[in-house]
Amino acid sequence: MLNVFNRFTCTEKQLPKIISNLKNKNLIPILDYTNENSTYHLRNYEKIKKLIKYHPNNFIAVKLSSLNINNNYHQSEKYLYKLSKLAINNNSKLLIDAEDYLIQNDINYLSNQLMKEFNKNQVNIYKTYQMYRKDSLDTLIDDFNKSRDYFIGCKLVRGAYHNQDLKYNILFEKIDDTHSNYNNAINFFSSNCFDKDLLMCATHNEESIKHAINLINENNLNNIEFAQLLGMSDKLSNKIAKNHVVYKYLPYGDFKDTLPYLIRRLYENYPMITNLLK
C-alpha cells in the first residue's frame, strides 16, 4: 500500500523534492493538502496558510469541506477570503475543488463571489465544473453569459463523487454522455471566452485532450491548459507539456488523510489501475 501512496501522493516532508522534480519536467504542480475532515477545520486552515507562505509562486487546491463549509458557511467563507488574499500576495493562485452534491451549491456560490472580487485583472481563483452532472454545462454557460467585469478561471473535471451523487439523479447515466458534455464545455469556452479567461482541462481522456488541442490550433487560443493527477498518465503529461501548459495535482498529507483521496481517484480511474500498478 505504501508503494501506491508514494506513487500518487506524498508526505509534507517529501513535498519540496517532488515540486522540484515536476518543475524540472516542465510540469506545474498544484499543491493539495488532502485532509477533508471538517472537525479539524482550524488546523486545515493553518496547514493551507503555511503551504501558501512557504511555497510561493504556486497553484493551491482547496477543498471547502476541509474548511467546514458543510457546518458553517460563514466560517468557511472567512477562511477562504483570507487564503485568497494571502495567495495573491505570494504570487499564487487558488483552485476551489468541486465536491459532493450536498455542499456543491454553496461551493459554487462562494467560487463565484471570489472570482468577482479577485479576478478583476487576471485569473487568481479557479472554479471547478463537474461534467458528469447533467446541469453542469448550463451552469458554465450561465457564468459566462453574465454581465461581468472579471475573468473566469474554469477547471473542467468529469467528477470524483459518483457514489455520493448517484442517488440525487443529477448524473448522466452513460459515460459517453459525460464525455460529450465535457467536450461541449470546451467548445463553449473556445467560442465565448474573454482573452484573459482561462480553461484548465483536468482530464486523462485522450479524446478530450485531442479535441482541446485541435480547438487551440484552429482558433489560435493561448488560454487553454491541461492537468493530470500525480502518478497517472505521466507519459501523456510529458508529451503535452512539449507544446502546452500542463499541471500535475500533487496531493500531500499523512497516510490516513490521503486515503479518501486515493480511494476516489483509483475508483474514478479504474481502467488505468491494472497497468499503473504492474
Side-chain angles (χ1 to χ4, degrees):
M1 194 65 182
L2 284 176
N3 288 336
V4 176
F5 173 86
N6 286 326
R7 179 155 192 163
F8 303 115
T9 66
C10 71
T11 65
E12 186 172 358
K13 188 176 180 179
Q14 294 170 320
L15 201 54
K17 181 179 178 180
I18 298 182
I19 290 173
S20 178
N21 288 344
L22 288 173
K23 290 186 175 181
N24 287 338
K25 296 177 182 177
N26 199 32
L27 300 170
I28 302 171
I30 297 173
L31 312 182
D32 181 14
Y33 178 60
T34 56
N35 187 300
E36 300 170 17
N37 191 334
S38 61
T39 303
Y40 305 111
H41 56 86
L42 180 57
R43 187 189 73 176
N44 294 336
Y45 167 70
E46 294 294 340
K47 280 279 190 180
I48 300 170
K49 188 166 71 170
K50 178 182 175 183
L51 178 67
I52 294 170
K53 285 183 176 179
Y54 287 96
H55 298 281
N57 309 304
N58 272 301
F59 287 70
I60 313 293
V62 179
K63 289 181 176 61
L64 292 186
S65 58
S66 74
L67 300 179
N68 205 29
I69 196 170
N70 47 317
N71 296 308
N72 191 330
Y73 174 89
H74 294 293
Q75 181 181 59
S76 181
E77 180 182 38
K78 289 179 182 178
Y79 283 149
L80 193 56
Y81 266 82
K82 290 179 181 178
L83 291 173
S84 298
K85 292 176 181 178
L86 181 64
I88 292 168
N89 288 338
N90 283 271
N91 196 35
S92 294
K93 300 179 187 298
L94 291 190
L95 295 88
I96 303 173
D97 281 349
E99 300 188 59
D100 66 85
Y101 172 77
L102 292 177
I103 58 175
Q104 189 55 48
N105 284 343
D106 284 341
I107 293 172
N108 283 343
Y109 181 79
L110 188 47
S111 298
N112 289 341
Q113 295 305 111
L114 286 164
M115 287 196 297
K116 288 178 184 178
E117 179 156 348
F118 296 114
N119 287 1
K120 297 287 189 183
N121 299 312
Q122 63 178 7
V123 169
N124 292 304
I125 308 294
Y126 286 76
K127 177 180 178 179
T128 304
Y129 300 81
Q130 298 165 303
M131 304 316 296
Y132 69 175
R133 288 184 54 149
K134 291 183 281 189
D135 62 349
S136 57
L137 185 57
D138 287 339
T139 299
L140 186 149
I141 291 172
D142 182 62
D143 287 349
F144 275 81
N145 284 342
K146 290 174 182 173
S147 176
R148 58 187 172 99
D149 61 350
Y150 59 94
F151 301 106
I152 293 177
C154 172
K155 177 163 72 79
L156 296 184
V157 301
R158 278 169 168 77
Y161 293 82
H162 185 273
N163 289 343
Q164 294 98 313
D165 289 349
L166 185 62
K167 61 186 175 184
Y168 298 108
N169 193 32
I170 58 170
L171 307 183
F172 289 109
E173 295 179 5
K174 297 178 181 179
I175 187 62
D176 287 344
D177 291 334
T178 297
H179 294 332
S180 295
N181 201 45
Y182 194 101
N183 292 344
N184 286 336
I186 300 173
N187 293 340
F188 180 83
F189 178 90
S190 66
S191 299
N192 295 276
C193 62
F194 295 168
D195 288 345
K196 288 188 178 181
D197 290 333
L198 290 174
L199 171 62
M200 183 183 293
C201 296
T203 180
H204 303 98
N205 184 283
E206 293 193 42
E207 291 304 315
S208 291
I209 291 168
K210 288 178 183 177
H211 183 67
I213 290 174
N214 287 337
L215 288 173
I216 290 170
N217 294 334
E218 289 170 6
N219 299 297
N220 195 28
L221 298 172
N222 61 3
N223 58 349
I224 297 180
E225 304 167 341
F226 301 91
Q228 286 91 41
L229 301 169
L230 182 72
M232 293 189 184
S233 303
D234 291 341
K235 290 182 180 178
L236 179 62
S237 301
N238 293 332
K239 180 181 177 182
I240 303 168
K242 293 178 182 178
N243 298 299
H244 304 281
V245 176
V246 178
Y247 301 85
K248 275 289 195 181
Y249 251 77
L250 175 46
Y252 78 96
D254 297 333
F255 178 74
K256 61 181 173 57
D257 294 334
T258 59
L259 195 57
Y261 165 87
L262 276 172
I263 291 171
R264 280 202 311 274
R265 292 303 182 255
L266 295 179
Y267 177 84
E268 177 192 9
N269 296 283
Y270 72 90
M272 299 182 190
I273 302 309
T274 301
N275 290 328
L276 280 172
L277 301 181
K278 284 181 178 178

mmCIF file of all heavy atoms in Angstrom, residues 179-219:
data_model
loop_
_atom_site.group_PDB
_atom_site.id
_atom_site.type_symbol
_atom_site.label_atom_id
_atom_site.label_comp_id
_atom_site.label_asym_id
_atom_site.label_seq_id
_atom_site.Cartn_x
_atom_site.Cartn_y
_atom_site.Cartn_z
ATOM 1 N N HIS A 179 -18.717 12.268 -21.558
ATOM 2 C CA HIS A 179 -17.658 12.663 -22.484
ATOM 3 C C HIS A 179 -18.132 13.791 -23.408
ATOM 4 O O HIS A 179 -17.412 14.773 -23.630
ATOM 5 C CB HIS A 179 -17.221 11.467 -23.334
ATOM 6 C CG HIS A 179 -16.550 10.377 -22.560
ATOM 7 N ND1 HIS A 179 -15.846 10.607 -21.397
ATOM 8 C CD2 HIS A 179 -16.470 9.037 -22.796
ATOM 9 C CE1 HIS A 179 -15.368 9.454 -20.946
ATOM 10 N NE2 HIS A 179 -15.728 8.493 -21.777
ATOM 11 N N SER A 180 -19.333 13.656 -23.941
ATOM 12 C CA SER A 180 -19.879 14.687 -24.840
ATOM 13 C C SER A 180 -20.065 16.006 -24.109
ATOM 14 O O SER A 180 -19.756 17.079 -24.643
ATOM 15 C CB SER A 180 -21.222 14.227 -25.422
ATOM 16 O OG SER A 180 -21.059 13.099 -26.241
ATOM 17 N N ASN A 181 -20.549 15.926 -22.882
ATOM 18 C CA ASN A 181 -20.764 17.136 -22.091
ATOM 19 C C ASN A 181 -19.440 17.849 -21.822
ATOM 20 O O ASN A 181 -19.358 19.084 -21.900
ATOM 21 C CB ASN A 181 -21.449 16.754 -20.776
ATOM 22 C CG ASN A 181 -22.159 17.917 -20.108
ATOM 23 O OD1 ASN A 181 -22.864 18.682 -20.766
ATOM 24 N ND2 ASN A 181 -21.988 18.042 -18.806
ATOM 25 N N TYR A 182 -18.412 17.078 -21.518
ATOM 26 C CA TYR A 182 -17.085 17.636 -21.271
ATOM 27 C C TYR A 182 -16.581 18.357 -22.520
ATOM 28 O O TYR A 182 -16.126 19.513 -22.459
ATOM 29 C CB TYR A 182 -16.122 16.513 -20.879
ATOM 30 C CG TYR A 182 -14.817 16.988 -20.277
ATOM 31 C CD1 TYR A 182 -14.620 16.962 -18.898
ATOM 32 C CD2 TYR A 182 -13.783 17.464 -21.078
ATOM 33 C CE1 TYR A 182 -13.423 17.392 -18.333
ATOM 34 C CE2 TYR A 182 -12.590 17.903 -20.523
ATOM 35 C CZ TYR A 182 -12.414 17.866 -19.155
ATOM 36 O OH TYR A 182 -11.232 18.319 -18.607
ATOM 37 N N ASN A 183 -16.672 17.693 -23.659
ATOM 38 C CA ASN A 183 -16.174 18.290 -24.901
ATOM 39 C C ASN A 183 -17.012 19.495 -25.328
ATOM 40 O O ASN A 183 -16.485 20.464 -25.888
ATOM 41 C CB ASN A 183 -16.134 17.247 -26.003
ATOM 42 C CG ASN A 183 -15.078 16.178 -25.755
ATOM 43 O OD1 ASN A 183 -14.192 16.365 -24.926
ATOM 44 N ND2 ASN A 183 -15.167 15.069 -26.454
ATOM 45 N N ASN A 184 -18.309 19.456 -25.047
ATOM 46 C CA ASN A 184 -19.160 20.611 -25.362
ATOM 47 C C ASN A 184 -18.794 21.823 -24.509
ATOM 48 O O ASN A 184 -18.910 22.973 -24.962
ATOM 49 C CB ASN A 184 -20.630 20.251 -25.164
ATOM 50 C CG ASN A 184 -21.169 19.362 -26.270
ATOM 51 O OD1 ASN A 184 -20.635 19.352 -27.383
ATOM 52 N ND2 ASN A 184 -22.211 18.606 -25.978
ATOM 53 N N ALA A 185 -18.352 21.573 -23.290
ATOM 54 C CA ALA A 185 -17.892 22.680 -22.436
ATOM 55 C C ALA A 185 -16.634 23.316 -23.025
ATOM 56 O O ALA A 185 -16.480 24.546 -23.009
ATOM 57 C CB ALA A 185 -17.634 22.173 -21.023
ATOM 58 N N ILE A 186 -15.736 22.493 -23.543
ATOM 59 C CA ILE A 186 -14.540 23.027 -24.200
ATOM 60 C C ILE A 186 -14.949 23.856 -25.419
ATOM 61 O O ILE A 186 -14.417 24.946 -25.658
ATOM 62 C CB ILE A 186 -13.591 21.890 -24.621
ATOM 63 C CG1 ILE A 186 -13.145 21.078 -23.401
ATOM 64 C CG2 ILE A 186 -12.364 22.460 -25.333
ATOM 65 C CD1 ILE A 186 -12.340 19.830 -23.750
ATOM 66 N N ASN A 187 -15.900 23.331 -26.194
ATOM 67 C CA ASN A 187 -16.399 24.069 -27.360
ATOM 68 C C ASN A 187 -16.938 25.435 -26.963
ATOM 69 O O ASN A 187 -16.633 26.457 -27.595
ATOM 70 C CB ASN A 187 -17.525 23.284 -28.058
ATOM 71 C CG ASN A 187 -17.051 22.001 -28.702
ATOM 72 O OD1 ASN A 187 -15.858 21.838 -28.967
ATOM 73 N ND2 ASN A 187 -17.973 21.090 -28.958
ATOM 74 N N PHE A 188 -17.768 25.439 -25.917
ATOM 75 C CA PHE A 188 -18.387 26.700 -25.497
ATOM 76 C C PHE A 188 -17.329 27.694 -25.048
ATOM 77 O O PHE A 188 -17.381 28.872 -25.422
ATOM 78 C CB PHE A 188 -19.388 26.446 -24.368
ATOM 79 C CG PHE A 188 -20.052 27.709 -23.884
ATOM 80 C CD1 PHE A 188 -21.158 28.223 -24.550
ATOM 81 C CD2 PHE A 188 -19.556 28.411 -22.794
ATOM 82 C CE1 PHE A 188 -21.752 29.410 -24.133
ATOM 83 C CE2 PHE A 188 -20.132 29.588 -22.372
ATOM 84 C CZ PHE A 188 -21.241 30.087 -23.046
ATOM 85 N N PHE A 189 -16.387 27.236 -24.246
ATOM 86 C CA PHE A 189 -15.334 28.137 -23.785
ATOM 87 C C PHE A 189 -14.581 28.738 -24.961
ATOM 88 O O PHE A 189 -14.348 29.950 -25.008
ATOM 89 C CB PHE A 189 -14.356 27.398 -22.867
ATOM 90 C CG PHE A 189 -13.215 28.261 -22.393
ATOM 91 C CD1 PHE A 189 -13.322 28.987 -21.222
ATOM 92 C CD2 PHE A 189 -12.037 28.360 -23.133
ATOM 93 C CE1 PHE A 189 -12.278 29.804 -20.785
ATOM 94 C CE2 PHE A 189 -10.985 29.169 -22.715
ATOM 95 C CZ PHE A 189 -11.114 29.896 -21.541
ATOM 96 N N SER A 190 -14.194 27.928 -25.911
ATOM 97 C CA SER A 190 -13.366 28.408 -27.022
ATOM 98 C C SER A 190 -14.076 29.455 -27.859
ATOM 99 O O SER A 190 -13.435 30.305 -28.477
ATOM 100 C CB SER A 190 -12.936 27.231 -27.905
ATOM 101 O OG SER A 190 -14.040 26.643 -28.557
ATOM 102 N N SER A 191 -15.404 29.444 -27.838
ATOM 103 C CA SER A 191 -16.179 30.389 -28.651
ATOM 104 C C SER A 191 -16.666 31.604 -27.868
ATOM 105 O O SER A 191 -17.097 32.590 -28.468
ATOM 106 C CB SER A 191 -17.406 29.683 -29.252
ATOM 107 O OG SER A 191 -17.023 28.617 -30.084
ATOM 108 N N ASN A 192 -16.613 31.533 -26.537
ATOM 109 C CA ASN A 192 -17.242 32.585 -25.725
ATOM 110 C C ASN A 192 -16.336 33.205 -24.669
ATOM 111 O O ASN A 192 -16.796 34.052 -23.900
ATOM 112 C CB ASN A 192 -18.476 32.010 -25.026
ATOM 113 C CG ASN A 192 -19.557 31.592 -26.001
ATOM 114 O OD1 ASN A 192 -20.370 32.402 -26.441
ATOM 115 N ND2 ASN A 192 -19.558 30.308 -26.356
ATOM 116 N N CYS A 193 -15.090 32.821 -24.628
ATOM 117 C CA CYS A 193 -14.210 33.310 -23.573
ATOM 118 C C CYS A 193 -13.684 34.711 -23.868
ATOM 119 O O CYS A 193 -13.565 35.122 -25.025
ATOM 120 C CB CYS A 193 -13.037 32.356 -23.388
ATOM 121 S SG CYS A 193 -11.972 32.181 -24.845
ATOM 122 N N PHE A 194 -13.384 35.453 -22.802
ATOM 123 C CA PHE A 194 -12.579 36.656 -22.914
ATOM 124 C C PHE A 194 -11.121 36.234 -23.070
ATOM 125 O O PHE A 194 -10.742 35.111 -22.734
ATOM 126 C CB PHE A 194 -12.725 37.526 -21.668
ATOM 127 C CG PHE A 194 -14.098 38.104 -21.433
ATOM 128 C CD1 PHE A 194 -14.408 38.695 -20.210
ATOM 129 C CD2 PHE A 194 -15.076 38.060 -22.412
ATOM 130 C CE1 PHE A 194 -15.664 39.240 -19.981
ATOM 131 C CE2 PHE A 194 -16.339 38.591 -22.192
ATOM 132 C CZ PHE A 194 -16.634 39.178 -20.974
ATOM 133 N N ASP A 195 -10.294 37.159 -23.528
ATOM 134 C CA ASP A 195 -8.883 36.827 -23.758
ATOM 135 C C ASP A 195 -8.186 36.347 -22.492
ATOM 136 O O ASP A 195 -7.304 35.492 -22.545
ATOM 137 C CB ASP A 195 -8.129 38.035 -24.326
ATOM 138 C CG ASP A 195 -8.503 38.316 -25.776
ATOM 139 O OD1 ASP A 195 -9.100 37.424 -26.412
ATOM 140 O OD2 ASP A 195 -8.208 39.420 -26.264
ATOM 141 N N LYS A 196 -8.570 36.924 -21.331
ATOM 142 C CA LYS A 196 -7.883 36.571 -20.086
ATOM 143 C C LYS A 196 -8.614 35.512 -19.269
ATOM 144 O O LYS A 196 -8.168 35.153 -18.175
ATOM 145 C CB LYS A 196 -7.662 37.830 -19.232
ATOM 146 C CG LYS A 196 -6.596 38.755 -19.782
ATOM 147 C CD LYS A 196 -6.301 39.876 -18.782
ATOM 148 C CE LYS A 196 -5.204 40.806 -19.277
ATOM 149 N NZ LYS A 196 -4.919 41.874 -18.280
ATOM 150 N N ASP A 197 -9.755 35.001 -19.765
ATOM 151 C CA ASP A 197 -10.348 33.822 -19.138
ATOM 152 C C ASP A 197 -9.391 32.652 -19.336
ATOM 153 O O ASP A 197 -8.648 32.598 -20.324
ATOM 154 C CB ASP A 197 -11.693 33.474 -19.785
ATOM 155 C CG ASP A 197 -12.788 34.479 -19.476
ATOM 156 O OD1 ASP A 197 -12.731 35.138 -18.422
ATOM 157 O OD2 ASP A 197 -13.711 34.606 -20.311
ATOM 158 N N LEU A 198 -9.415 31.708 -18.410
ATOM 159 C CA LEU A 198 -8.544 30.541 -18.519
ATOM 160 C C LEU A 198 -9.351 29.262 -18.354
ATOM 161 O O LEU A 198 -10.229 29.173 -17.485
ATOM 162 C CB LEU A 198 -7.443 30.586 -17.457
ATOM 163 C CG LEU A 198 -6.364 31.650 -17.629
ATOM 164 C CD1 LEU A 198 -5.431 31.656 -16.417
ATOM 165 C CD2 LEU A 198 -5.559 31.409 -18.901
ATOM 166 N N LEU A 199 -9.050 28.288 -19.190
ATOM 167 C CA LEU A 199 -9.660 26.965 -19.090
ATOM 168 C C LEU A 199 -8.584 25.945 -18.761
ATOM 169 O O LEU A 199 -7.591 25.824 -19.485
ATOM 170 C CB LEU A 199 -10.338 26.587 -20.413
ATOM 171 C CG LEU A 199 -10.837 25.141 -20.524
ATOM 172 C CD1 LEU A 199 -11.911 24.855 -19.478
ATOM 173 C CD2 LEU A 199 -11.362 24.848 -21.924
ATOM 174 N N MET A 200 -8.788 25.217 -17.683
ATOM 175 C CA MET A 200 -7.912 24.111 -17.330
ATOM 176 C C MET A 200 -8.678 22.815 -17.571
ATOM 177 O O MET A 200 -9.665 22.530 -16.882
ATOM 178 C CB MET A 200 -7.481 24.210 -15.867
ATOM 179 C CG MET A 200 -6.505 23.115 -15.447
ATOM 180 S SD MET A 200 -6.050 23.191 -13.684
ATOM 181 C CE MET A 200 -5.133 24.729 -13.636
ATOM 182 N N CYS A 201 -8.245 22.048 -18.544
ATOM 183 C CA CYS A 201 -8.859 20.756 -18.845
ATOM 184 C C CYS A 201 -8.183 19.704 -17.964
ATOM 185 O O CYS A 201 -7.107 19.207 -18.295
ATOM 186 C CB CYS A 201 -8.693 20.399 -20.320
ATOM 187 S SG CYS A 201 -9.531 21.523 -21.452
ATOM 188 N N ALA A 202 -8.808 19.397 -16.845
ATOM 189 C CA ALA A 202 -8.258 18.418 -15.917
ATOM 190 C C ALA A 202 -8.818 17.051 -16.299
ATOM 191 O O ALA A 202 -9.926 16.681 -15.899
ATOM 192 C CB ALA A 202 -8.628 18.785 -14.478
ATOM 193 N N THR A 203 -8.058 16.320 -17.087
ATOM 194 C CA THR A 203 -8.554 15.056 -17.622
ATOM 195 C C THR A 203 -7.409 14.171 -18.079
ATOM 196 O O THR A 203 -6.354 14.662 -18.470
ATOM 197 C CB THR A 203 -9.516 15.303 -18.803
ATOM 198 O OG1 THR A 203 -9.994 14.053 -19.302
ATOM 199 C CG2 THR A 203 -8.830 16.052 -19.936
ATOM 200 N N HIS A 204 -7.659 12.852 -18.021
ATOM 201 C CA HIS A 204 -6.743 11.874 -18.597
ATOM 202 C C HIS A 204 -7.286 11.334 -19.915
ATOM 203 O O HIS A 204 -6.656 10.478 -20.541
ATOM 204 C CB HIS A 204 -6.538 10.702 -17.628
ATOM 205 C CG HIS A 204 -6.039 11.118 -16.283
ATOM 206 N ND1 HIS A 204 -6.868 11.290 -15.201
ATOM 207 C CD2 HIS A 204 -4.795 11.420 -15.841
ATOM 208 C CE1 HIS A 204 -6.163 11.665 -14.153
ATOM 209 N NE2 HIS A 204 -4.902 11.766 -14.511
ATOM 210 N N ASN A 205 -8.454 11.809 -20.317
ATOM 211 C CA ASN A 205 -9.115 11.294 -21.514
ATOM 212 C C ASN A 205 -8.443 11.862 -22.767
ATOM 213 O O ASN A 205 -8.494 13.073 -23.021
ATOM 214 C CB ASN A 205 -10.598 11.682 -21.473
ATOM 215 C CG ASN A 205 -11.376 11.106 -22.624
ATOM 216 O OD1 ASN A 205 -11.294 11.605 -23.743
ATOM 217 N ND2 ASN A 205 -12.125 10.061 -22.357
ATOM 218 N N GLU A 206 -7.836 10.994 -23.548
ATOM 219 C CA GLU A 206 -7.046 11.457 -24.687
ATOM 220 C C GLU A 206 -7.901 12.083 -25.774
ATOM 221 O O GLU A 206 -7.448 12.993 -26.476
ATOM 222 C CB GLU A 206 -6.212 10.297 -25.250
ATOM 223 C CG GLU A 206 -5.142 9.826 -24.279
ATOM 224 C CD GLU A 206 -4.121 8.916 -24.922
ATOM 225 O OE1 GLU A 206 -3.689 9.203 -26.058
ATOM 226 O OE2 GLU A 206 -3.749 7.908 -24.291
ATOM 227 N N GLU A 207 -9.130 11.635 -25.917
ATOM 228 C CA GLU A 207 -10.009 12.232 -26.929
ATOM 229 C C GLU A 207 -10.350 13.675 -26.577
ATOM 230 O O GLU A 207 -10.365 14.552 -27.452
ATOM 231 C CB GLU A 207 -11.290 11.391 -27.085
ATOM 232 C CG GLU A 207 -11.066 10.033 -27.723
ATOM 233 C CD GLU A 207 -10.393 10.137 -29.091
ATOM 234 O OE1 GLU A 207 -10.818 11.000 -29.899
ATOM 235 O OE2 GLU A 207 -9.441 9.380 -29.344
ATOM 236 N N SER A 208 -10.631 13.932 -25.316
ATOM 237 C CA SER A 208 -10.916 15.308 -24.883
ATOM 238 C C SER A 208 -9.685 16.190 -25.044
ATOM 239 O O SER A 208 -9.787 17.365 -25.432
ATOM 240 C CB SER A 208 -11.386 15.328 -23.428
ATOM 241 O OG SER A 208 -12.659 14.736 -23.294
ATOM 242 N N ILE A 209 -8.516 15.638 -24.748
ATOM 243 C CA ILE A 209 -7.283 16.403 -24.893
ATOM 244 C C ILE A 209 -7.027 16.729 -26.368
ATOM 245 O O ILE A 209 -6.695 17.878 -26.710
ATOM 246 C CB ILE A 209 -6.107 15.624 -24.278
ATOM 247 C CG1 ILE A 209 -6.271 15.569 -22.750
ATOM 248 C CG2 ILE A 209 -4.766 16.265 -24.648
ATOM 249 C CD1 ILE A 209 -5.331 14.601 -22.063
ATOM 250 N N LYS A 210 -7.196 15.746 -27.228
ATOM 251 C CA LYS A 210 -7.022 15.989 -28.667
ATOM 252 C C LYS A 210 -8.016 17.033 -29.157
ATOM 253 O O LYS A 210 -7.677 17.903 -29.970
ATOM 254 C CB LYS A 210 -7.218 14.683 -29.446
ATOM 255 C CG LYS A 210 -6.094 13.687 -29.286
ATOM 256 C CD LYS A 210 -6.406 12.397 -30.047
ATOM 257 C CE LYS A 210 -5.322 11.353 -29.841
ATOM 258 N NZ LYS A 210 -5.657 10.065 -30.517
ATOM 259 N N HIS A 211 -9.249 16.935 -28.681
ATOM 260 C CA HIS A 211 -10.287 17.890 -29.079
ATOM 261 C C HIS A 211 -9.892 19.312 -28.678
ATOM 262 O O HIS A 211 -10.007 20.249 -29.480
ATOM 263 C CB HIS A 211 -11.609 17.501 -28.422
ATOM 264 C CG HIS A 211 -12.756 18.359 -28.810
ATOM 265 N ND1 HIS A 211 -13.294 18.392 -30.084
ATOM 266 C CD2 HIS A 211 -13.490 19.261 -28.089
ATOM 267 C CE1 HIS A 211 -14.279 19.253 -30.138
ATOM 268 N NE2 HIS A 211 -14.427 19.796 -28.940
ATOM 269 N N ALA A 212 -9.410 19.470 -27.435
ATOM 270 C CA ALA A 212 -8.997 20.797 -26.968
ATOM 271 C C ALA A 212 -7.813 21.323 -27.774
ATOM 272 O O ALA A 212 -7.784 22.503 -28.153
ATOM 273 C CB ALA A 212 -8.636 20.726 -25.479
ATOM 274 N N ILE A 213 -6.852 20.474 -28.062
ATOM 275 C CA ILE A 213 -5.675 20.905 -28.827
ATOM 276 C C ILE A 213 -6.066 21.313 -30.239
ATOM 277 O O ILE A 213 -5.551 22.308 -30.787
ATOM 278 C CB ILE A 213 -4.605 19.792 -28.838
ATOM 279 C CG1 ILE A 213 -3.999 19.643 -27.436
ATOM 280 C CG2 ILE A 213 -3.508 20.096 -29.855
ATOM 281 C CD1 ILE A 213 -3.045 18.481 -27.287
ATOM 282 N N ASN A 214 -7.006 20.602 -30.832
ATOM 283 C CA ASN A 214 -7.497 20.989 -32.164
ATOM 284 C C ASN A 214 -8.120 22.373 -32.136
ATOM 285 O O ASN A 214 -7.897 23.192 -33.050
ATOM 286 C CB ASN A 214 -8.508 19.967 -32.683
ATOM 287 C CG ASN A 214 -7.863 18.663 -33.118
ATOM 288 O OD1 ASN A 214 -6.675 18.629 -33.448
ATOM 289 N ND2 ASN A 214 -8.632 17.586 -33.135
ATOM 290 N N LEU A 215 -8.903 22.652 -31.094
ATOM 291 C CA LEU A 215 -9.535 23.972 -30.974
ATOM 292 C C LEU A 215 -8.487 25.057 -30.733
ATOM 293 O O LEU A 215 -8.607 26.171 -31.256
ATOM 294 C CB LEU A 215 -10.566 23.963 -29.849
ATOM 295 C CG LEU A 215 -11.853 23.185 -30.114
ATOM 296 C CD1 LEU A 215 -12.711 23.105 -28.860
ATOM 297 C CD2 LEU A 215 -12.651 23.822 -31.253
ATOM 298 N N ILE A 216 -7.466 24.741 -29.945
ATOM 299 C CA ILE A 216 -6.373 25.691 -29.725
ATOM 300 C C ILE A 216 -5.731 26.060 -31.060
ATOM 301 O O ILE A 216 -5.501 27.247 -31.357
ATOM 302 C CB ILE A 216 -5.317 25.081 -28.777
ATOM 303 C CG1 ILE A 216 -5.870 24.966 -27.358
ATOM 304 C CG2 ILE A 216 -4.032 25.920 -28.774
ATOM 305 C CD1 ILE A 216 -4.985 24.159 -26.411
ATOM 306 N N ASN A 217 -5.454 25.058 -31.863
ATOM 307 C CA ASN A 217 -4.784 25.295 -33.149
ATOM 308 C C ASN A 217 -5.687 25.994 -34.153
ATOM 309 O O ASN A 217 -5.258 26.903 -34.870
ATOM 310 C CB ASN A 217 -4.296 23.966 -33.725
ATOM 311 C CG ASN A 217 -3.194 23.338 -32.880
ATOM 312 O OD1 ASN A 217 -2.471 24.037 -32.180
ATOM 313 N ND2 ASN A 217 -3.072 22.021 -32.926
ATOM 314 N N GLU A 218 -6.953 25.590 -34.193
ATOM 315 C CA GLU A 218 -7.888 26.168 -35.165
ATOM 316 C C GLU A 218 -8.187 27.640 -34.865
ATOM 317 O O GLU A 218 -8.347 28.448 -35.782
ATOM 318 C CB GLU A 218 -9.200 25.379 -35.161
ATOM 319 C CG GLU A 218 -9.082 23.981 -35.767
ATOM 320 C CD GLU A 218 -10.333 23.154 -35.534
ATOM 321 O OE1 GLU A 218 -11.324 23.714 -34.996
ATOM 322 O OE2 GLU A 218 -10.316 21.956 -35.871
ATOM 323 N N ASN A 219 -8.255 27.975 -33.577
ATOM 324 C CA ASN A 219 -8.672 29.323 -33.173
ATOM 325 C C ASN A 219 -7.532 30.166 -32.621
ATOM 326 O O ASN A 219 -7.759 31.274 -32.133
ATOM 327 C CB ASN A 219 -9.787 29.218 -32.128
ATOM 328 C CG ASN A 219 -11.020 28.512 -32.661
ATOM 329 O OD1 ASN A 219 -11.672 28.973 -33.590
ATOM 330 N ND2 ASN A 219 -11.338 27.359 -32.080
#
